[in-house]
Amino acid sequence: MVLLSARTQTLVFHPAERTILLITGALGVASFFLVWWKGIAVGPEFFTFSAGFAAVMIGVGQIYRQFRDSERIALVTHVLGLFVAYSAFGVLFNIVLLPRPTAPIDAALVRIDAWLGYSWPAFVSWFAEHPALNDVVRRVYALTLIQLLCAFIVLGALLDRRRLHAAALGTVFASLATIFCWALFPSGGAAAYWTLDPEVERIVRPIVSPAYGAELYRLFREGVTDLSAMGVTGLVGFPSFHTVMALISLIALWPYLIARLVLIGVCLLLFPAILVHGGHNLTDVLAGVAITVGSWMAGLKIYDAQTRLAAEPSPVATPNPV
């Protein structure tokens, strides 16, 4: 990318940043059309923080890219701002797809889990017998998004633009693939299918509990008319997007030994946390792994293709002979 001079006062984005911006804009248009068409009430508070944070981050990034000559800060602030903006519209788009006309597929996923020798109630019961470990994985689960954002920050600070933008693009592609799968085959996860023993539930306190799952199923049937009245924050059971965030951060930072060792340790705690506190089937996690691998590869290929195109010289116009 060739940076413009300060005198032009034009916004300057790398190709991957423009791609995420365009996808976010497209999701925004589609979401607001569905909001209008379905008559869903959306208050300004839904976007206040996300829009304000994104605007500030991108504005700061433009200042440091064009006037302060600090690409490290520009890379970090741009990716954080763009990701928060994309996340807001991604969540909105997912919500306005409600209700879903097809029945949840959790019964089929539970059968596949059984073939693999996995049972969610039995796994949660094991953690009820180990409350100290349960407290640890519960805290780790709540930090998954922060883990991904920290990976973005580290890559930007290291000026590793290829892996940073491949990770950002891969996360966006994986998010779109996850929403697409869920739209066709809605699922609420194992927590929506099973009922836990009351004592087990009291000890483990799963973040995504059977009560949460029951609310998901209600939303799948009835949809939503007012976003401020929603009692849940995540809708997708299959595939697991927490798995995507964990693996993208690990893959992106893999060449850096210290970060790799730290994230391997975190992921060893996070994967059982996704099953227990995310209320997921084992098949949700396996699907999340597959989507992560495909999305990371797509992110790398698109970044490389965009970089090659940006490096090609523009054709020079020649006058037509008289």
Side-chain angles (χ1 to χ4, degrees):
M1 183 197 71
V2 179
L3 297 181
L4 304 180
S5 68
R7 289 190 299 273
T8 62
Q9 298 183 359
T10 302
L11 295 180
V12 179
F13 294 99
H14 290 294
E17 294 167 346
R18 288 199 300 270
T19 300
I20 296 172
L21 194 60
L22 288 172
I23 292 173
T24 302
L27 273 183
V29 170
S31 298
F32 283 121
F33 171 77
L34 289 172
V35 163
W36 167 78
W37 185 45
K38 295 184 176 184
I40 299 173
V42 182
E45 66 278 0
F46 188 88
F47 295 103
T48 301
F49 172 78
S50 299
F53 181 86
V56 169
M57 288 293 101
I58 292 172
V60 169
Q62 289 295 311
I63 291 171
Y64 275 91
R65 179 166 288 169
Q66 298 196 62
F67 304 109
R68 301 295 297 274
D69 194 25
S70 178
E71 185 62 6
R72 281 187 173 86
I73 295 176
L75 284 174
V76 170
T77 54
H78 275 85
V79 77
L80 293 180
L82 290 170
F83 186 75
V84 167
Y86 168 80
S87 297
F89 284 110
V91 169
L92 177 61
F93 182 69
N94 202 174
I95 292 172
V96 297
L97 290 176
L98 293 167
R100 302 313 305 148
T102 55
I105 63 168
D106 290 301
L109 298 177
V110 167
R111 286 195 295 271
I112 296 173
D113 277 4
W115 296 340
L116 297 173
Y118 173 77
S119 165
W120 187 70
F123 197 59
V124 176
S125 295
W126 186 89
F127 273 87
E129 297 172 1
H130 302 81
L133 178 59
N134 174 67
D135 288 342
V136 171
V137 298
R138 196 176 196 275
R139 290 186 176 91
V140 170
Y141 178 81
L143 297 175
T144 314
L145 176 59
I146 294 175
Q147 174 183 324
L148 178 63
L149 296 179
C150 286
F152 288 162
I153 293 171
V154 170
L155 290 167
L158 292 170
L159 279 178
D160 192 340
R161 183 155 66 92
R162 182 173 186 262
R163 299 189 78 83
L164 170 64
H165 284 169
L169 288 169
T171 304
V172 169
F173 297 155
S175 169
L176 294 174
T178 298
I179 294 172
F180 178 76
C181 288
W182 173 86
L184 292 179
F185 309 106
S187 61
Y193 183 85
W194 294 101
T195 299
L196 291 173
D197 179 274
E199 183 63 13
V200 169
E201 186 169 357
R202 184 190 68 79
I203 296 172
V204 176
R205 297 171 295 121
I207 293 173
V208 177
S209 64
Y212 187 104
E215 176 63 11
L216 286 179
Y217 276 7
R218 185 191 69 80
L219 290 172
F220 291 175
R221 293 190 307 269
E222 301 174 9
V224 59
T225 56
D226 185 351
L227 265 64
S228 64
M230 283 192 64
V232 300
T233 55
L235 298 175
V236 179
F238 175 88
S240 163
F241 194 66
H242 272 76
T243 301
V244 170
M245 291 190 290
L247 285 181
I248 285 283
S249 59
L250 176 59
I251 294 170
L253 287 171
W254 188 263
Y256 304 100
L257 179 60
I258 295 176
R260 181 201 315 165
L261 295 177
V262 170
L263 287 177
I264 287 174
V266 171
C267 287
L268 288 175
L269 294 171
L270 183 56
F271 286 125
I274 291 170
L275 293 168
V276 174
H277 291 285
H280 280 288
N281 297 293
L282 181 58
T283 44
D284 301 342
V285 173
L286 296 177
V289 172
I291 283 180
T292 300
V293 173
S295 298
W296 169 257
M297 293 174 64
L300 279 178
K301 287 184 179 297
I302 289 177
Y303 173 85
D304 289 340
Q306 290 178 332
T307 301
R308 286 194 301 271
L309 287 173
E312 291 177 358
S314 301
V316 178
T318 58
N320 293 326
V322 178

